């Protein structure tokens, strides 16, 4: 499961997982750049759901995703949660325990 505002480069890996291993990629709609939490919860409740992968701060719009709420949904439903913090690490405070992500990706060249 991913956000409609995720980075194009991330979609490449999602589509590779689909093509190589048969993963189903579900893109959750967003409202003005932020993921729709109700739609996420519905999709995440599907018995085949395994992973929520999304960005922290979309490059377009400068909004901050509701990552703690997403973390709570992932924890409640027993899903892995990958947060891409490439645009946010070093710019805003990030507490992975508070966010509740299973994995976090970032790059050191942005800050």
């Amino acid at each position: 499961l991913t956000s409609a505002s995720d980075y194009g480069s991330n979609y490449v890996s999602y589509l590779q997982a689909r093509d190589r291993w048969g993963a189903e990629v579900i893109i959750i709609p967003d409202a003005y750049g932020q993921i729709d939490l109700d739609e996420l919860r519905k999709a995440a409740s599907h018995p085949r759901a395994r992973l929520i992968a999304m960005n922290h701060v979309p490059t377009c719009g400068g909004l901050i995703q509701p990552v703690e709420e997403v973390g709570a949904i992932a924890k409640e439903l027993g899903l892995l949660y990958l947060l891409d913090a490439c645009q946010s690490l070093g710019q805003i405070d990030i507490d992975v325990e508070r966010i509740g992500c299973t994995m976090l990706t970032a790059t050191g060249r942005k800050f």
Side-chain angles (χ1 to χ4, degrees):
L1 308 172
T2 191
S3 168
S5 64
D6 207 349
Y7 311 124
S9 58
N10 288 349
Y11 287 125
V12 172
S13 61
Y14 307 149
L15 297 177
Q16 287 174 335
R18 179 199 65 193
D19 294 346
R20 289 182 185 165
W21 300 298
E24 184 177 357
V25 179
I26 306 290
I27 299 172
I28 307 301
D30 62 61
Y32 307 103
Q34 288 192 314
I35 194 164
D36 183 320
L37 293 172
D38 292 330
E39 291 296 321
L40 174 65
R41 179 176 293 285
K42 278 195 265 184
S45 297
H46 191 281
R48 290 188 56 206
R50 299 289 181 266
L51 171 71
I52 299 170
M54 60 181 282
N55 57 30
H56 192 179
V57 177
T59 53
C60 58
L63 298 172
I64 299 174
Q65 294 284 11
V67 293
E68 292 177 30
E69 292 87 343
V70 173
I73 291 169
K75 182 177 182 179
E76 174 188 332
L77 298 173
L79 303 180
L80 295 172
Y81 176 24
L82 169 64
L83 182 64
D84 183 332
C86 286
Q87 299 298 329
S88 57
L89 186 69
Q91 306 302 317
I92 59 177
D93 289 332
I94 296 177
D95 181 338
V96 294
E97 290 182 6
R98 190 177 76 237
I99 291 170
C101 60
T102 313
M103 301 163 275
L104 182 134
T105 60
T107 179
R109 68 179 177 83
K110 300 266 183 157
F111 61 95

